[in-house]
C-alpha cells in the first residue's frame, strides 16, 4: 500500500534551497510510538530502540460534538464543549533497515531535488501491512473550570513493514526519487 505523509503535521520536515538545488529533509528523531505495544523496556540502547515502532503522520480530523452545562467550580454553572480528534499514522518497526542507529536528532530521510520543485514537495511511503494490521489508543481529558473542554484523542495506526520512501511532486504526483532499504538519501535525476 502507498500513503501520503501529512507534512502539515510533520515539524521535522524542511526544504531549503542550496545553490542550484533543493535539499529536502524529514527528521525521524521524535517520531517514535510511545504506546505500550511499542515499548521494549529491556532494550539495550546500543543495539535496539526502547520504542520499537516509528511513524509517519497521515491525517488528523477534529470533531466538535456539542456541549453540556456542568458545575466544576462550586456554585457556577458553565458550558463545557466536547471535542474529539482522530490521528492516523503509518507505524513501522524497520527504520534501521534504512539508516543505522546514531545519536543525531537530524537523522532521517533526505533528497537532493531540482530547485523547480520548491513549494510542491511531498512524501509518499510504501509499506506492506503486517500483524496486527491495526492498533489504536484512546486518551480522554475531562473538562475543568479553567479548561472547559472534554477532549478525546484517538490514535489509529496502520502497522506495516516500510518498503520505501518517495519524494514526490505534489502538483503532478510524479515520483522525484525513491529511498529503499539500505539508503537514507536519494537524488532526483
Amino acid at each position: 500500500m502507498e500513503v501520503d505523509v501529512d507534512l502539515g503535521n510533520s515539524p521535522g520536515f524542511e526544504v531549503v534551497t542550496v545553490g542550484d538545488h533543493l535539499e529536502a529533509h524529514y527528521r525521524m528523531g521524535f517520531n517514535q510510538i510511545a504506546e505500550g505495544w511499542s515499548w521494549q523496556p529491556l532494550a539495550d540502547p546500543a543495539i535496539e530502540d526502547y520504542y520499537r515502532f516509528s511513524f509517519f503522520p497521515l491525517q488528523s480530523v477534529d470533531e466538535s460534538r456539542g456541549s453540556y452545562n456542568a458545575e466544576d467550580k462550586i456554585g457556577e454553572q458553565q458550558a463545557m464543549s466536547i471535542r474529539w480528534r482522530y490521528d492516523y499514522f503509518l507505524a513501522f518497526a524497520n527504520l534501521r533497515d534504512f539508516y543505522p542507529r546514531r545519536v543525531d536528532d537530524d537523522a532521517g530521510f533526505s533528497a537532493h531535488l531540482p530547485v523547480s520543485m520548491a513549494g510542491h514537495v511531498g512524501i509518499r511511503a510504501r509499506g506492506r501491512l503486517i500483524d496486527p494490521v491495526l492498533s489504536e489508543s484512546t486518551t480522554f481529558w475531562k473538562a475543568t473550570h479553567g479548561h472547559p473542554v472534554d477532549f478525546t484523542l484517538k490514535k489509529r495506526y496502520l502497522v506495516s513493514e516500510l518498503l520505501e520512501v518517495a519524494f514526490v511532486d505534489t502538483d503532478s504526483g510524479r515520483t522525484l526519487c525513491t529511498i529503499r532499504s539500505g539508503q537514507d538519501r536519494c537524488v532526483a535525476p
Side-chain angles (χ1 to χ4, degrees), residues 9-86:
N9 283 318
S10 297
F13 178 69
E14 72 176 345
V15 178
V16 295
T17 303
V18 179
D20 65 345
H21 69 279
L22 298 177
E23 285 294 323
H25 190 68
Y26 192 101
R27 287 173 188 78
M28 291 297 296
F30 300 100
N31 284 29
Q32 296 95 19
I33 296 174
E35 307 285 355
W37 55 271
S38 180
W39 294 347
Q40 297 186 111
L42 301 177
D44 177 352
I47 57 171
E48 56 191 340
D49 294 323
Y50 180 80
Y51 297 118
R52 185 170 156 231
F53 285 87
S54 297
F55 70 86
F56 282 127
L58 302 179
Q59 182 182 27
S60 286
V61 177
D62 282 305
E63 286 184 7
S64 178
R65 294 193 171 190
S67 64
Y68 62 95
N69 286 327
E71 183 179 307
D72 187 59
K73 185 175 179 184
I74 296 174
E76 195 172 312
Q77 285 286 314
Q78 184 176 16
M80 306 291 194
S81 63
I82 303 168
R83 282 190 40 233
W84 283 53
R85 189 174 85 204
Y86 298 89

Side-chain angles (χ1 to χ4, degrees), residues 108-127:
F109 299 97
S110 298
H112 178 103
L113 305 171
V115 75
S116 61
M117 292 292 106
H120 48 102
V121 174
I123 294 180
R124 186 170 297 135
R126 192 165 71 85

